Amino acid sequence: MRSIRKKPYINILMTLKVIGLLLMFEGLIMLLPIIVAWIYGETEEYIPFLTSGGITFAAGFIMNVLLPNGSSDMGKREGFMLTAFVWIFFSFFGLMPFMLGSCKMTIHNAFFEAMSGFTTTGATTIYDFPNLTHTVFFYRCLIQWLGGMGIILFTLAVIPMLNSSGGMQMFNAEVTGITHDKIRPRISQTAKRLWGCYTILTITMAVLLYAGPMSLFDSICHAMSTLSTGGLSTTTSFIDTWHSVYVKIILAVFMFIGSINFVLIYRMSIGDVKGIWKNETFRFYIKYILTFSAIVAVILFLQGKSTNLENGIIDPIFQVLSSSSTTGYIVEGYNSWGTPILMIFFVLMVIGSCAGSTTGGIKIDRIIYMFKNIRNEIYRILHPNSIVPVTYNGKTVTPELVNKTMAFLMLYIVIIIFGSFVMTLFGTSLSDAFITAFSCISNAGLGGEVVNMQTYAIIPDGAKWVLAFIMLIGRLELFTIVVLLNVGFWRR
């Protein structure tokens, strides 16, 4: 008699219970802006944030406590599901303050705003910046800060039981890059250490900015949005509001910190400086930033726009770091630097920075793998019998990992093309469709004519949902979302 093979089930119940627990945390986080509302006397924001936090907490309580208990086992598929669904749930519930509060956004704009915040894209549909309350400014920066290090990384830090229940799969699905180094034996301990470093750096940056011309409120908001490389500001003039070289230097330093692997930052905090310099990506990234900064500085000098230390050296370095980290800050006169320089910044934005950082883009690690593989293929054409593996940090990279890198790059291009095509169906011009799709998958937030207007409000409502989905794909590095769209994921 033929035996019937049981298909392994997906533990949806456990997944929903974990999401419920996290929604309870999100509900509590939504109450933090009320403190800001109280300080600045913005009483009109009390009810919207109380309501939003209460609804979110209640929904999470129902999912976590009232759903029946089942198996606590979570494997690879549950890890993928939880990683993707947490970001979607957080954005759906996180849109409520934008709809109920002083912004009075439509659901289309509010979801776009929430997803842009959590994915640290920095794109916005807000056009009435001067009338935004301190409470809303703080909330926008807060969700960027939370999304910068990662919601799942926060989950692993606060729910130790996931250490042995798909925790490593969730860690790999969310943390950007090709490979991920654990700094502690348990993945939950790794998450706690990384969040600890992230929090200490944020506080340090806020203190340094406050020591300059910024107010305490502006310092806290810019610290959260800079280290998360989201790039939201509390003013329409961005950093030019303060006309301060000191502010530019502090922001540049922390954009650089936010764009390198946080495991390296942790190692630096315990005195392992030599270990950092041994990292091939870190060495390459420093040369990469210095090289492009020098190129931009030389072009500006030849154009006669380099008149002093600030606009000749500091501004080029600042703008290169802003682009490569996908933060999106701009300095005064940026748009007049000419098309060649703007093209350089666009390429930097697409490539991004280091794996394991808070930045978007393809990541330099993958670019290194790609060029090493291309070099080896050229060598093999001349020497057909030779075996030349790709090496990284003194170790041989497996062919599977090289193939995965090439697949990622191809999929990246396919999503941009498909996203651009869908955008044109909503009546968006070809140039804006391409640039906005490119910008959102890179989590950079720039885009065609939209940049000049400082807002994505002019984009059709349907297109905003498409771009929000592209932001999520880019933040979770393609495969985490794409695998859920595979029918085989749900069948086997």
Side-chain angles (χ1 to χ4, degrees), residues 272-331:
D272 184 16
V273 179
K274 290 183 179 179
I276 298 173
W277 192 248
K278 288 179 182 176
N279 185 275
E280 188 173 344
T281 302
F282 181 75
R283 296 196 309 271
F284 180 87
Y285 184 56
I286 291 179
K287 297 173 185 175
Y288 174 83
I289 293 298
L290 292 176
T291 299
F292 280 102
S293 297
I295 292 172
V296 172
V298 168
I299 294 175
L300 288 177
F301 177 77
L302 294 176
Q303 291 176 347
K305 296 176 180 177
S306 176
T307 58
N308 53 46
L309 179 65
E310 181 179 358
N311 58 36
I313 302 296
I314 294 175
D315 284 356
I317 294 175
F318 179 93
Q319 205 59 56
V320 165
L321 281 168
S322 178
S323 300
S324 64
S325 65
T326 66
T327 305
Y329 289 139
I330 57 175
V331 296

Short mmCIF file of all heavy atoms in Angstrom, two decimals, residues 272-331:
data_model
loop_
_atom_site.label_atom_id
_atom_site.label_comp_id
_atom_site.label_asym_id
_atom_site.label_seq_id
_atom_site.Cartn_x
_atom_site.Cartn_y
_atom_site.Cartn_z
N ASP A 272 38.23 46.26 19.25
CA ASP A 272 38.79 45.43 18.17
C ASP A 272 38.96 46.27 16.90
O ASP A 272 38.31 46.03 15.88
CB ASP A 272 37.87 44.23 17.91
CG ASP A 272 38.45 43.27 16.88
OD1 ASP A 272 39.66 43.37 16.59
OD2 ASP A 272 37.70 42.42 16.36
N VAL A 273 39.83 47.26 16.96
CA VAL A 273 40.04 48.16 15.83
C VAL A 273 40.74 47.44 14.68
O VAL A 273 40.42 47.66 13.50
CB VAL A 273 40.86 49.39 16.27
CG1 VAL A 273 41.09 50.33 15.09
CG2 VAL A 273 40.15 50.12 17.40
N LYS A 274 41.69 46.57 14.99
CA LYS A 274 42.41 45.84 13.94
C LYS A 274 41.45 44.97 13.13
O LYS A 274 41.60 44.83 11.91
CB LYS A 274 43.50 44.98 14.55
CG LYS A 274 44.67 45.78 15.12
CD LYS A 274 45.75 44.85 15.65
CE LYS A 274 46.93 45.66 16.21
NZ LYS A 274 47.98 44.77 16.77
N GLY A 275 40.48 44.37 13.80
CA GLY A 275 39.51 43.53 13.12
C GLY A 275 38.69 44.30 12.11
O GLY A 275 38.31 43.77 11.06
N ILE A 276 38.44 45.59 12.40
CA ILE A 276 37.68 46.42 11.47
C ILE A 276 38.48 46.67 10.21
O ILE A 276 37.98 46.56 9.09
CB ILE A 276 37.32 47.75 12.15
CG1 ILE A 276 36.43 47.50 13.36
CG2 ILE A 276 36.62 48.68 11.18
CD1 ILE A 276 36.18 48.73 14.17
N TRP A 277 39.75 47.02 10.36
CA TRP A 277 40.57 47.34 9.20
C TRP A 277 40.85 46.11 8.34
O TRP A 277 41.13 46.22 7.15
CB TRP A 277 41.88 47.99 9.62
CG TRP A 277 42.62 48.59 8.47
CD1 TRP A 277 43.80 48.16 7.95
CD2 TRP A 277 42.20 49.69 7.67
NE1 TRP A 277 44.15 48.94 6.88
CE2 TRP A 277 43.18 49.89 6.68
CE3 TRP A 277 41.09 50.54 7.70
CZ2 TRP A 277 43.09 50.89 5.73
CZ3 TRP A 277 40.99 51.54 6.75
CH2 TRP A 277 41.99 51.71 5.78
N LYS A 278 40.72 44.93 8.92
CA LYS A 278 40.91 43.70 8.15
C LYS A 278 39.72 43.43 7.24
O LYS A 278 39.82 42.63 6.31
CB LYS A 278 41.10 42.51 9.09
CG LYS A 278 42.45 42.49 9.79
CD LYS A 278 42.56 41.30 10.73
CE LYS A 278 43.89 41.31 11.48
NZ LYS A 278 43.97 40.20 12.46
N ASN A 279 38.60 44.09 7.50
CA ASN A 279 37.41 43.87 6.69
C ASN A 279 37.57 44.52 5.31
O ASN A 279 37.78 45.73 5.20
CB ASN A 279 36.18 44.46 7.41
CG ASN A 279 34.89 44.16 6.67
OD1 ASN A 279 34.50 44.88 5.77
ND2 ASN A 279 34.22 43.09 7.08
N GLU A 280 37.48 43.73 4.28
CA GLU A 280 37.74 44.20 2.92
C GLU A 280 36.74 45.26 2.47
O GLU A 280 37.11 46.25 1.83
CB GLU A 280 37.69 43.00 1.96
CG GLU A 280 38.12 43.32 0.55
CD GLU A 280 38.22 42.08 -0.32
OE1 GLU A 280 38.25 40.96 0.23
OE2 GLU A 280 38.26 42.23 -1.56
N THR A 281 35.48 45.08 2.82
CA THR A 281 34.46 46.05 2.42
C THR A 281 34.69 47.40 3.08
O THR A 281 34.54 48.45 2.44
CB THR A 281 33.05 45.54 2.80
OG1 THR A 281 32.83 44.29 2.17
CG2 THR A 281 31.99 46.52 2.36
N PHE A 282 35.08 47.39 4.35
CA PHE A 282 35.32 48.64 5.07
C PHE A 282 36.46 49.42 4.42
O PHE A 282 36.36 50.63 4.21
CB PHE A 282 35.64 48.34 6.54
CG PHE A 282 35.88 49.58 7.37
CD1 PHE A 282 34.82 50.38 7.77
CD2 PHE A 282 37.17 49.94 7.73
CE1 PHE A 282 35.05 51.53 8.53
CE2 PHE A 282 37.40 51.08 8.49
CZ PHE A 282 36.34 51.87 8.89
N ARG A 283 37.55 48.72 4.10
CA ARG A 283 38.70 49.39 3.45
C ARG A 283 38.29 49.95 2.09
O ARG A 283 38.63 51.09 1.74
CB ARG A 283 39.87 48.41 3.28
CG ARG A 283 40.46 47.90 4.58
CD ARG A 283 41.83 47.27 4.35
NE ARG A 283 41.83 46.28 3.29
CZ ARG A 283 41.57 45.00 3.46
NH1 ARG A 283 41.30 44.54 4.68
NH2 ARG A 283 41.61 44.15 2.45
N PHE A 284 37.55 49.16 1.35
CA PHE A 284 37.11 49.59 0.02
C PHE A 284 36.18 50.80 0.13
O PHE A 284 36.27 51.74 -0.66
CB PHE A 284 36.40 48.44 -0.70
CG PHE A 284 35.91 48.80 -2.08
CD1 PHE A 284 36.75 48.69 -3.18
CD2 PHE A 284 34.62 49.27 -2.28
CE1 PHE A 284 36.30 49.02 -4.46
CE2 PHE A 284 34.17 49.62 -3.54
CZ PHE A 284 35.02 49.48 -4.63
N TYR A 285 35.28 50.77 1.13
CA TYR A 285 34.30 51.85 1.27
C TYR A 285 34.97 53.19 1.56
O TYR A 285 34.57 54.23 1.02
CB TYR A 285 33.30 51.50 2.37
CG TYR A 285 32.19 52.52 2.52
CD1 TYR A 285 31.37 52.84 1.44
CD2 TYR A 285 31.96 53.16 3.74
CE1 TYR A 285 30.35 53.77 1.57
CE2 TYR A 285 30.93 54.09 3.87
CZ TYR A 285 30.14 54.39 2.78
OH TYR A 285 29.14 55.31 2.90
N ILE A 286 35.99 53.19 2.39
CA ILE A 286 36.72 54.43 2.68
C ILE A 286 37.36 54.99 1.41
O ILE A 286 37.26 56.18 1.10
CB ILE A 286 37.78 54.19 3.77
CG1 ILE A 286 37.11 53.93 5.11
CG2 ILE A 286 38.73 55.40 3.88
CD1 ILE A 286 38.07 53.65 6.24
N LYS A 287 38.02 54.11 0.64
CA LYS A 287 38.63 54.55 -0.62
C LYS A 287 37.56 55.04 -1.60
O LYS A 287 37.76 56.02 -2.33
CB LYS A 287 39.41 53.39 -1.24
CG LYS A 287 40.59 52.93 -0.39
CD LYS A 287 41.22 51.67 -1.00
CE LYS A 287 42.32 51.11 -0.10
NZ LYS A 287 42.85 49.84 -0.63
N TYR A 288 36.44 54.37 -1.61
CA TYR A 288 35.30 54.68 -2.48
C TYR A 288 34.78 56.09 -2.19
O TYR A 288 34.59 56.91 -3.10
CB TYR A 288 34.25 53.61 -2.21
CG TYR A 288 32.91 53.74 -2.87
CD1 TYR A 288 32.69 53.31 -4.17
CD2 TYR A 288 31.80 54.21 -2.15
CE1 TYR A 288 31.43 53.37 -4.75
CE2 TYR A 288 30.54 54.26 -2.72
CZ TYR A 288 30.37 53.86 -4.02
OH TYR A 288 29.12 53.91 -4.58
N ILE A 289 34.57 56.41 -0.91
CA ILE A 289 34.07 57.73 -0.51
C ILE A 289 35.09 58.82 -0.84
O ILE A 289 34.75 59.87 -1.39
CB ILE A 289 33.73 57.75 1.00
CG1 ILE A 289 32.56 56.83 1.30
CG2 ILE A 289 33.44 59.17 1.46
CD1 ILE A 289 31.28 57.23 0.62
N LEU A 290 36.36 58.57 -0.51
CA LEU A 290 37.40 59.57 -0.75
C LEU A 290 37.59 59.83 -2.25
O LEU A 290 37.78 60.98 -2.67
CB LEU A 290 38.71 59.11 -0.13
CG LEU A 290 38.75 59.06 1.41
CD1 LEU A 290 40.09 58.50 1.89
CD2 LEU A 290 38.51 60.45 2.00
N THR A 291 37.53 58.77 -3.05
CA THR A 291 37.71 58.91 -4.49
C THR A 291 36.61 59.76 -5.11
O THR A 291 36.89 60.72 -5.86
CB THR A 291 37.74 57.53 -5.18
OG1 THR A 291 38.83 56.77 -4.66
CG2 THR A 291 37.89 57.67 -6.68
N PHE A 292 35.35 59.45 -4.82
CA PHE A 292 34.24 60.20 -5.41
C PHE A 292 34.15 61.61 -4.85
O PHE A 292 33.76 62.54 -5.56
CB PHE A 292 32.92 59.45 -5.23
CG PHE A 292 32.72 58.34 -6.22
CD1 PHE A 292 32.93 57.02 -5.87
CD2 PHE A 292 32.35 58.62 -7.52
CE1 PHE A 292 32.76 56.00 -6.78
CE2 PHE A 292 32.17 57.60 -8.45
CZ PHE A 292 32.38 56.28 -8.09
N SER A 293 34.54 61.78 -3.59
CA SER A 293 34.57 63.14 -3.03
C SER A 293 35.60 63.99 -3.76
O SER A 293 35.36 65.17 -4.06
CB SER A 293 34.89 63.09 -1.53
OG SER A 293 33.90 62.40 -0.81
N ALA A 294 36.76 63.39 -4.06
CA ALA A 294 37.81 64.11 -4.78
C ALA A 294 37.36 64.46 -6.20
O ALA A 294 37.62 65.57 -6.69
CB ALA A 294 39.08 63.26 -4.82
N ILE A 295 36.67 63.52 -6.86
CA ILE A 295 36.18 63.77 -8.22
C ILE A 295 35.21 64.94 -8.23
O ILE A 295 35.30 65.86 -9.05
CB ILE A 295 35.52 62.50 -8.80
CG1 ILE A 295 36.57 61.41 -9.03
CG2 ILE A 295 34.78 62.83 -10.09
CD1 ILE A 295 35.99 60.07 -9.42
N VAL A 296 34.25 64.93 -7.28
CA VAL A 296 33.26 66.00 -7.20
C VAL A 296 33.94 67.33 -6.88
O VAL A 296 33.64 68.37 -7.47
CB VAL A 296 32.19 65.68 -6.14
CG1 VAL A 296 31.27 66.88 -5.91
CG2 VAL A 296 31.38 64.46 -6.56
N ALA A 297 34.92 67.30 -5.95
CA ALA A 297 35.63 68.53 -5.57
C ALA A 297 36.39 69.12 -6.76
O ALA A 297 36.39 70.35 -6.97
CB ALA A 297 36.59 68.23 -4.42
N VAL A 298 37.03 68.27 -7.55
CA VAL A 298 37.78 68.74 -8.72
C VAL A 298 36.84 69.36 -9.75
O VAL A 298 37.12 70.42 -10.32
CB VAL A 298 38.58 67.57 -9.34
CG1 VAL A 298 39.13 67.98 -10.71
CG2 VAL A 298 39.71 67.16 -8.42
N ILE A 299 35.69 68.71 -10.00
CA ILE A 299 34.73 69.24 -10.98
C ILE A 299 34.22 70.61 -10.53
O ILE A 299 34.11 71.55 -11.33
CB ILE A 299 33.56 68.26 -11.18
CG1 ILE A 299 34.05 66.96 -11.83
CG2 ILE A 299 32.47 68.88 -12.06
CD1 ILE A 299 32.99 65.88 -11.96
N LEU A 300 33.91 70.73 -9.24
CA LEU A 300 33.43 72.01 -8.72
C LEU A 300 34.52 73.09 -8.83
O LEU A 300 34.23 74.25 -9.14
CB LEU A 300 33.01 71.86 -7.25
CG LEU A 300 31.72 71.08 -6.99
CD1 LEU A 300 31.47 70.95 -5.48
CD2 LEU A 300 30.53 71.77 -7.64
N PHE A 301 35.76 72.69 -8.61
CA PHE A 301 36.87 73.64 -8.74
C PHE A 301 37.01 74.13 -10.18
O PHE A 301 37.19 75.32 -10.43
CB PHE A 301 38.17 72.98 -8.28
CG PHE A 301 39.38 73.84 -8.44
CD1 PHE A 301 39.65 74.87 -7.55
CD2 PHE A 301 40.27 73.63 -9.51
CE1 PHE A 301 40.77 75.68 -7.71
CE2 PHE A 301 41.38 74.44 -9.68
CZ PHE A 301 41.64 75.46 -8.77
N LEU A 302 36.90 73.20 -11.13
CA LEU A 302 37.01 73.56 -12.55
C LEU A 302 35.83 74.42 -12.98
O LEU A 302 35.96 75.23 -13.91
CB LEU A 302 37.08 72.29 -13.40
CG LEU A 302 38.34 71.43 -13.21
CD1 LEU A 302 38.25 70.15 -14.03
CD2 LEU A 302 39.60 72.22 -13.58
N GLN A 303 34.68 74.27 -12.32
CA GLN A 303 33.51 75.08 -12.65
C GLN A 303 33.55 76.45 -11.97
O GLN A 303 32.69 77.29 -12.22
CB GLN A 303 32.24 74.35 -12.21
CG GLN A 303 31.92 73.10 -13.01
CD GLN A 303 30.70 72.37 -12.48
OE1 GLN A 303 30.22 72.65 -11.37
NE2 GLN A 303 30.17 71.43 -13.25
N GLY A 304 34.54 76.64 -11.11
CA GLY A 304 34.65 77.90 -10.40
C GLY A 304 33.70 78.04 -9.23
O GLY A 304 33.46 79.15 -8.73
N LYS A 305 33.16 76.91 -8.76
CA LYS A 305 32.20 76.95 -7.65
C LYS A 305 32.84 76.60 -6.31
O LYS A 305 32.17 76.53 -5.29
CB LYS A 305 31.03 75.99 -7.94
CG LYS A 305 30.22 76.39 -9.15
CD LYS A 305 29.14 75.37 -9.48
CE LYS A 305 28.36 75.81 -10.71
NZ LYS A 305 27.34 74.83 -11.11
N SER A 306 34.13 76.37 -6.34
CA SER A 306 34.86 76.03 -5.11
C SER A 306 35.61 77.27 -4.65
O SER A 306 36.68 77.60 -5.16
CB SER A 306 35.84 74.88 -5.39
OG SER A 306 36.61 74.59 -4.26
N THR A 307 35.04 77.99 -3.67
CA THR A 307 35.62 79.27 -3.26
C THR A 307 36.22 79.24 -1.85
O THR A 307 36.97 80.13 -1.49
CB THR A 307 34.54 80.37 -3.30
OG1 THR A 307 33.44 79.98 -2.45
CG2 THR A 307 34.03 80.56 -4.74
N ASN A 308 35.86 78.23 -1.07
CA ASN A 308 36.41 78.14 0.28
C ASN A 308 36.41 76.68 0.74
O ASN A 308 36.01 75.78 -0.02
CB ASN A 308 35.63 79.03 1.27
CG ASN A 308 34.14 78.74 1.23
OD1 ASN A 308 33.72 77.58 1.25
ND2 ASN A 308 33.34 79.80 1.18
N LEU A 309 36.86 76.44 1.95
CA LEU A 309 36.96 75.08 2.49
C LEU A 309 35.60 74.40 2.56
O LEU A 309 35.48 73.20 2.26
CB LEU A 309 37.60 75.11 3.89
CG LEU A 309 37.74 73.76 4.60
CD1 LEU A 309 38.71 72.85 3.84
CD2 LEU A 309 38.22 73.96 6.04
N GLU A 310 34.58 75.18 2.91
CA GLU A 310 33.25 74.57 3.08
C GLU A 310 32.68 74.06 1.77
O GLU A 310 32.33 72.89 1.66
CB GLU A 310 32.29 75.59 3.71
CG GLU A 310 30.90 75.01 3.93
CD GLU A 310 29.94 76.00 4.59
OE1 GLU A 310 30.38 77.14 4.89
OE2 GLU A 310 28.76 75.65 4.80
N ASN A 311 32.58 74.94 0.76
CA ASN A 311 31.96 74.48 -0.50
C ASN A 311 32.94 73.75 -1.41
O ASN A 311 32.53 73.17 -2.41
CB ASN A 311 31.28 75.64 -1.24
CG ASN A 311 32.24 76.76 -1.56
OD1 ASN A 311 33.41 76.55 -1.86
ND2 ASN A 311 31.74 78.00 -1.48
N GLY A 312 34.24 73.79 -1.08
CA GLY A 312 35.21 73.10 -1.91
C GLY A 312 35.55 71.69 -1.43
O GLY A 312 35.87 70.81 -2.24
N ILE A 313 35.49 71.46 -0.12
CA ILE A 313 35.87 70.15 0.44
C ILE A 313 34.74 69.51 1.26
O ILE A 313 34.33 68.37 1.00
CB ILE A 313 37.11 70.29 1.35
CG1 ILE A 313 38.29 70.88 0.57
CG2 ILE A 313 37.48 68.93 1.94
CD1 ILE A 313 38.78 70.01 -0.57
N ILE A 314 34.21 70.29 2.21
CA ILE A 314 33.21 69.72 3.13
C ILE A 314 31.92 69.36 2.41
O ILE A 314 31.36 68.27 2.60
CB ILE A 314 32.94 70.70 4.29
CG1 ILE A 314 34.20 70.86 5.14
CG2 ILE A 314 31.78 70.20 5.16
CD1 ILE A 314 34.08 71.90 6.24
N ASP A 315 31.42 70.26 1.56
CA ASP A 315 30.17 69.99 0.86
C ASP A 315 30.26 68.77 -0.07
O ASP A 315 29.34 67.94 -0.09
CB ASP A 315 29.72 71.22 0.06
CG ASP A 315 29.12 72.29 0.96
OD1 ASP A 315 28.99 72.02 2.18
OD2 ASP A 315 28.77 73.38 0.47
N PRO A 316 31.33 68.62 -0.87
CA PRO A 316 31.43 67.40 -1.69
C PRO A 316 31.45 66.12 -0.87
O PRO A 316 30.77 65.14 -1.22
CB PRO A 316 32.76 67.60 -2.44
CG PRO A 316 32.93 69.07 -2.51
CD PRO A 316 32.38 69.59 -1.22
N ILE A 317 32.21 66.10 0.23
CA ILE A 317 32.26 64.90 1.08
C ILE A 317 30.88 64.64 1.69
O ILE A 317 30.39 63.51 1.71
CB ILE A 317 33.30 65.07 2.21
CG1 ILE A 317 34.71 65.13 1.61
CG2 ILE A 317 33.21 63.92 3.21
CD1 ILE A 317 35.80 65.41 2.64
N PHE A 318 30.24 65.72 2.16
CA PHE A 318 28.91 65.59 2.76
C PHE A 318 27.92 65.00 1.76
O PHE A 318 27.16 64.08 2.08
CB PHE A 318 28.42 66.96 3.24
CG PHE A 318 27.05 66.94 3.86
CD1 PHE A 318 26.91 66.79 5.23
CD2 PHE A 318 25.91 67.05 3.08
CE1 PHE A 318 25.65 66.77 5.82
CE2 PHE A 318 24.65 67.02 3.65
CZ PHE A 318 24.51 66.88 5.02
N GLN A 319 27.92 65.53 0.54
CA GLN A 319 26.93 65.10 -0.45
C GLN A 319 27.21 63.69 -0.96
O GLN A 319 26.28 62.93 -1.25
CB GLN A 319 26.91 66.08 -1.63
CG GLN A 319 25.59 66.10 -2.37
CD GLN A 319 24.42 66.47 -1.46
OE1 GLN A 319 24.42 67.53 -0.83
NE2 GLN A 319 23.43 65.61 -1.38
N VAL A 320 28.48 63.32 -1.06
CA VAL A 320 28.83 61.95 -1.45
C VAL A 320 28.35 60.97 -0.38
O VAL A 320 27.76 59.92 -0.69
CB VAL A 320 30.35 61.81 -1.67
CG1 VAL A 320 30.77 60.34 -1.72
CG2 VAL A 320 30.75 62.49 -2.98
N LEU A 321 28.57 61.30 0.89
CA LEU A 321 28.10 60.44 1.97
C LEU A 321 26.58 60.39 2.03
O LEU A 321 25.99 59.33 2.26
CB LEU A 321 28.65 60.94 3.31
CG LEU A 321 30.09 60.57 3.63
CD1 LEU A 321 30.60 61.37 4.82
CD2 LEU A 321 30.22 59.08 3.90
N SER A 322 25.94 61.51 1.79
CA SER A 322 24.48 61.55 1.80
C SER A 322 23.89 60.67 0.70
O SER A 322 22.89 59.98 0.91
CB SER A 322 24.00 63.00 1.62
OG SER A 322 22.59 63.06 1.58
N SER A 323 24.54 60.67 -0.46
CA SER A 323 24.05 59.85 -1.59
C SER A 323 24.35 58.37 -1.39
O SER A 323 23.48 57.51 -1.57
CB SER A 323 24.68 60.34 -2.90
OG SER A 323 24.35 61.68 -3.16
N SER A 324 25.59 58.06 -1.02
CA SER A 324 25.98 56.65 -0.88
C SER A 324 25.27 55.98 0.29
O SER A 324 25.00 54.78 0.27
CB SER A 324 27.50 56.52 -0.70
OG SER A 324 27.92 57.14 0.50
N SER A 325 24.93 56.75 1.32
CA SER A 325 24.21 56.19 2.47
C SER A 325 22.69 56.21 2.25
O SER A 325 21.94 55.76 3.10
CB SER A 325 24.54 56.97 3.74
OG SER A 325 24.07 58.30 3.66
N THR A 326 22.27 56.74 1.11
CA THR A 326 20.84 56.90 0.75
C THR A 326 20.08 57.71 1.80
O THR A 326 18.88 57.51 1.98
CB THR A 326 20.14 55.54 0.51
OG1 THR A 326 20.07 54.80 1.75
CG2 THR A 326 20.86 54.71 -0.53
N THR A 327 20.78 58.63 2.48
CA THR A 327 20.12 59.48 3.47
C THR A 327 19.28 60.55 2.79
O THR A 327 18.14 60.79 3.16
CB THR A 327 21.15 60.14 4.40
OG1 THR A 327 21.96 59.13 4.99
CG2 THR A 327 20.46 60.93 5.50
N GLY A 328 19.87 61.20 1.79
CA GLY A 328 19.09 62.16 1.01
C GLY A 328 19.17 63.60 1.44
O GLY A 328 18.45 64.44 0.91
N TYR A 329 20.04 63.95 2.39
CA TYR A 329 20.23 65.37 2.72
C TYR A 329 20.89 66.07 1.54
O TYR A 329 21.68 65.46 0.81
CB TYR A 329 21.14 65.54 3.94
CG TYR A 329 20.53 65.13 5.26
CD1 TYR A 329 21.28 64.44 6.21
CD2 TYR A 329 19.21 65.46 5.58
CE1 TYR A 329 20.74 64.08 7.44
CE2 TYR A 329 18.66 65.10 6.80
CZ TYR A 329 19.43 64.41 7.72
OH TYR A 329 18.88 64.06 8.93
N ILE A 330 20.60 67.36 1.39
CA ILE A 330 21.24 68.12 0.32
C ILE A 330 21.77 69.44 0.87
O ILE A 330 21.22 70.00 1.82
CB ILE A 330 20.28 68.40 -0.86
CG1 ILE A 330 19.03 69.15 -0.39
CG2 ILE A 330 19.91 67.12 -1.57
CD1 ILE A 330 18.10 69.56 -1.52
N VAL A 331 22.84 69.92 0.26
CA VAL A 331 23.43 71.20 0.67
C VAL A 331 22.96 72.30 -0.28
O VAL A 331 22.43 72.03 -1.36
CB VAL A 331 24.97 71.13 0.66
CG1 VAL A 331 25.47 70.13 1.68
CG2 VAL A 331 25.50 70.79 -0.73
#
